Amino acid sequence: MKIRLAYGQSGLDIEVDPRTATVVEPVHHEAAADQMAVLREALRAPVAGPPLRERVRPGQTVAISACDGTRPQPRHLMIPAVLAELEGIVRLEDVVILVATGTHRGNGEAELREMFGDEVVDAVRIVNHDARDPGRLTWMGTYGNGVPVWLNRAWAEADVRITTGFVEPHFFAGFSGGPKLVAPGLAALETVLVLHDAARIGDPRATWGNTHGNPVHDDVRAIAEATRVTFSLDVVLNRDKDIVAAFGGDLAPMHAAATATAKRMAMRPVEAPFDVVVTTNSGFPLDQNLYQAVKGMSAAYQVVKPGGMIVCAAECRDGFPDHGSYREVLASAPSPQALFDDISARTETVPDQWQVQIQARIQSGSRVVMHTGFLSDAELATAHLRQTRDISATVAEALAAAGPGARLCVLPEGPQTIPYVGRSGA
């Protein structure tokens, strides 16, 4: 049986035995017939609160937060829809679009044009958030469970603050979108380090699909609510990255409605764990680096047997990446277990520690094999990973080694589908 994996921009085919394989995919929904109309409806008939135009007054300054280039947000549709609603009320020169990079690298002009479209780039000021530049940050106070909060100065000083994002399950924040477009998206490095410290990330409630009682999301939500968001716009996407539904309005009820829809589409029950799980990181742009590919590994980890094998296909055209400390931290211990123990024992969080902590936990409990197009075997070895050039052969060998009755799960869309052991609705 041939299965197409989401990999890079072109996809990747593998062959598996249909007698042993279970394919788990999100519930597919066709794209909205008129995606711009769906966005306009969300802006004009929000889930809660008045329409966007009724929240803005002439002469006000506006800051719009949007996802960075590692996310498949349809910015080229969402931002023009927002700007159209603001037309006639505020001047474009009083609008700034902030790329909510968190601690990721900023996006270059060519990337921004691909993300937003030439018309937006030429008409509106776009600024990459920089979590490490104190001159662009302002102190907001302490919120949530003792989180010191610095936010992007342009965001904090704007009269009107609009978040735009997309909602999918997130491996430790519960769901993306909503308040994450404020923090960590527009927060200082110091704020992000606290939000993603070992205690929060290590809490079993910090997991896929859980937003309440989750120590990460609870604090993210507390920051956004305390520092005021004027209007929020989120979309839910299908596997083709097209808009299925859009939600607008007051942040908390808007995000709750969007996450309910995303959960119905993405979270799928299975009867029992598997000996081998093949996963991806949903293809481009999500699989640009190994750092992001941990999400695909984590999705697979939910349903792999202890000691079983995870095979993760992620193109990694941006490498580890080389910016940040992720690669350095990965290579700082002789084994995944030693790395996990070291991170768990630390009293201070270092950049990229949260991603490494989760990756080390996964690799300590299972065998992880990568298929990439841009990382060498030697480079992967520094991250305690090995490479396969032939996923089909590796899977067949692993199933044979596991013995009679061994079972395979394939997640072609990676973390766009979150499997869990249990009954539907559990």
Side-chain angles (χ1 to χ4, degrees), residues 213-243:
N214 178 331
V216 177
H217 199 280
D218 285 351
D219 283 344
V220 167
R221 187 173 60 251
I223 293 169
E225 290 177 349
T227 58
R228 294 190 308 104
V229 174
T230 307
F231 192 94
S232 291
L233 176 67
D234 275 338
V235 295
V236 175
L237 308 176
N238 64 14
R239 64 187 173 213
D240 300 319
K241 314 298 191 296
D242 291 324
I243 297 172

Side-chain angles (χ1 to χ4, degrees), residues 391-410:
I391 294 175
S392 302
T394 297
V395 167
E397 292 169 5
L399 290 173
R407 299 166 63 244
L408 165 69
C409 177
V410 182

Side-chain angles (χ1 to χ4, degrees), residues 135-340:
R136 297 187 183 185
L137 301 163
T138 189
W139 171 250
M140 303 298 291
T142 301
Y143 302 107
N145 185 19
V147 183
V149 179
W150 289 265
L151 292 181
N152 184 284
R153 185 179 299 277
W155 175 262
E157 293 179 351
D159 299 315
V160 176
R161 305 169 188 170
I162 302 169
T163 66
T164 69
F166 79 105
V167 174
E168 65 177 353
H170 188 278
F171 64 142
F172 60 78
F175 282 96
S176 64
K180 287 185 90 265
L181 272 297
V182 178
L186 298 176
L189 176 62
E190 292 87 344
T191 302
V192 179
L193 293 179
V194 174
L195 283 172
H196 295 170
D197 65 17
R200 287 175 174 82
I201 299 297
D203 192 300
R205 298 169 297 176
T207 190
W208 300 100
N210 182 36
T211 56
H212 288 76
N214 178 331
V216 177
H217 199 280
D218 285 351
D219 283 344
V220 167
R221 187 173 60 251
I223 293 169
E225 290 177 349
T227 58
R228 294 190 308 104
V229 174
T230 307
F231 192 94
S232 291
L233 176 67
D234 275 338
V235 295
V236 175
L237 308 176
N238 64 14
R239 64 187 173 213
D240 300 319
K241 314 298 191 296
D242 291 324
I243 297 172
V244 171
F247 305 84
D250 296 343
L251 178 60
M254 179 286 303
H255 196 239
T259 57
T261 296
K263 188 170 187 175
R264 287 193 298 270
M265 290 174 57
M267 302 196 73
R268 313 294 293 160
V270 298
E271 293 182 356
F274 296 85
D275 300 275
V276 181
V277 182
V278 175
T279 187
T280 74
N281 213 48
S282 306
F284 185 85
L286 293 170
D287 72 348
Q288 290 185 70
N289 54 57
L290 186 65
Y291 178 93
Q292 293 294 333
V294 178
K295 296 175 182 176
M297 298 178 202
S298 180
Y301 189 62
Q302 308 308 303
V303 292
V304 72
K305 289 181 178 179
M309 176 180 286
I310 294 172
V311 182
C312 182
E315 192 179 52
C316 299
R317 65 177 63 184
D318 197 23
F320 277 84
D322 287 331
H323 64 272
S325 62
Y326 170 68
R327 184 174 187 174
E328 177 185 351
V329 177
L330 274 177
S332 66
S335 70
Q337 186 62 56
L339 185 57
F340 182 76

Side-chain angles (χ1 to χ4, degrees), residues 71 104 170-172 196 201 289-295 326 330 343 350-362:
R71 304 292 191 268
H104 303 167
H170 188 278
F171 64 142
F172 60 78
H196 295 170
I201 299 297
N289 54 57
L290 186 65
Y291 178 93
Q292 293 294 333
V294 178
K295 296 175 182 176
Y326 170 68
L330 274 177
I343 291 174
V350 299
D352 302 322
Q353 172 181 304
W354 51 91
Q355 210 90 348
V356 175
Q357 180 181 1
I358 292 172
Q359 184 173 334
R361 181 170 60 201
I362 292 168

